[in-house]
Amino acid sequence: MNCYRIRPSYMVALALFIFYILMVDIKFLIKGEYASNDLKLQCNKRHTFPLTITTITKNSALFIREWLEYHLLVGVDHFYLLDNESEDNLTEVLQPYIERDLVTYIPWQDGEYRDAKLYLTLNTQQKGIVYALSLYGCNSEWTALIDDDEFIVPKDNRTLKTILKDYEEYGGLAVGWAWFGSNNHTTKPNSLVIEAYTKRRDSLDILYKTIIQPRYFKRMKTIHYPVFDSNHPLVTEHYNVVSTIPEHIKGMAYSLNKPTSDIVQLNHYKVKSWQEWLERVGNRGAVAGSRWRDTVKDFNSWDYNDITDTSILKFVPALLERLKL
């Protein structure tokens, strides 16, 4: 009788694989679907704002007005803005918006909110967002969890609030994430960000950013995968429930979620020009924490210029008027 003998090297590899899977499970037991210490918002009162944005920023004074005015133009009512220790004149730029009750300004330092186990495995950005939701989440019927270099683009003539009415029975809308490149600009163009950068990656990212209903929010798995109560899942624009499978299993996550942007899209202007990239990595840091800090070498990795996408340009004339440019 012949017996097949497993080579020691295979046994070691198998043991390491099993150990890895166990570590992933432990990680998600703490911060994923199995966590018992959910954020329990008691949203019984009438919402103050139909649609807000909750974000964290750092040293964004040079471009934050374009971002604010654009989103006011497409229907956002208010911004909850966490300032991660900015060193520029951000507060001065924001002051008119604060006075008009358009911005709630929240100073933020990493490690400021560590009084619950839920937050121990989250990065700086995620902790900040959950902190803001714990304070102000019930003020919003909907809030978009996006960055200050991301612009929500309605693809048809409806406002964002009108679009979101189609998703009221769900916890949140997962928005297709489009990454824009430098358009081969080496220096900063003398124009709007959304006007200067029209080339992007030919496919959407496998991950999403989300517009959520805070009253159904339970916890943050990652910034891309907020978790809701079992009766109100996160769905795509075509009503497919988004899988919260660990994002490192990229091929499987993509096939399950099938990102689209037929109705609404999120434009991500991470790179911009070479000059702006150098300023970014030198001055801004990473709102998600030092582990996610970009370097000079990362420019080519993120500089996607595969196809031209001008869907946002329909908003340029009105935005220029708002900015008085």
Side-chain angles (χ1 to χ4, degrees), residues 239-302:
Y239 304 99
N240 298 313
V241 175
V242 174
S243 167
T244 57
I245 196 166
E247 58 193 80
H248 57 273
I249 311 178
K250 294 186 177 180
M252 190 179 296
Y254 193 93
S255 64
L256 287 171
N257 294 330
K258 295 181 174 61
T260 61
S261 59
D262 302 317
I263 300 172
V264 62
Q265 175 175 293
L266 187 67
N267 288 8
H268 188 193
Y269 301 96
K270 180 182 179 75
V271 172
K272 303 187 182 74
S273 67
W274 174 243
Q275 175 189 352
E276 291 166 285
W277 181 259
L278 294 179
E279 293 172 353
R280 173 193 175 98
V281 300
N283 298 325
R284 292 198 65 206
V287 294
S290 58
R291 176 183 168 188
W292 286 266
R293 187 182 181 98
D294 295 309
T295 68
V296 173
K297 295 179 182 178
D298 292 325
F299 180 84
N300 291 331
S301 299
W302 302 118

Side-chain angles (χ1 to χ4, degrees), residues 150-214:
E150 297 172 337
F151 291 69
I152 308 172
V153 186
K155 287 297 192 72
D156 55 29
N157 293 324
R158 293 180 296 166
T159 66
L160 279 176
K161 280 178 278 199
T162 302
I163 291 172
L164 290 170
K165 286 184 180 297
D166 294 338
Y167 303 92
E168 288 179 341
E169 63 184 278
Y170 302 100
L173 173 63
V175 181
W177 202 23
W179 285 60
F180 283 70
S182 69
N183 270 58
N184 299 313
H185 290 300
T186 56
T187 58
K188 181 180 179 181
N190 186 26
S191 60
L192 299 174
V193 169
I194 65 171
E195 195 175 18
Y197 303 103
T198 57
K199 294 186 181 297
R200 66 169 176 89
R201 185 165 59 182
D202 56 0
S203 61
L204 297 174
D205 199 272
I206 68 164
L207 304 177
Y208 292 93
K209 287 298 187 70
T210 60
I211 308 175
I212 72 168
Q213 297 197 73

Side-chain angles (χ1 to χ4, degrees), residues 39 130 133 212-220 226-228:
L39 182 65
V130 173
L133 289 175
I212 72 168
Q213 297 197 73
R215 63 185 178 275
Y216 302 133
F217 174 81
K218 291 177 66 177
R219 74 187 72 89
M220 188 74 71
V227 178
F228 304 92

Side-chain angles (χ1 to χ4, degrees), residues 226-241:
V227 178
F228 304 92
D229 69 57
S230 58
N231 296 319
H232 300 90
L234 177 68
V235 296
T236 69
E237 61 183 11
H238 295 300
Y239 304 99
N240 298 313
V241 175

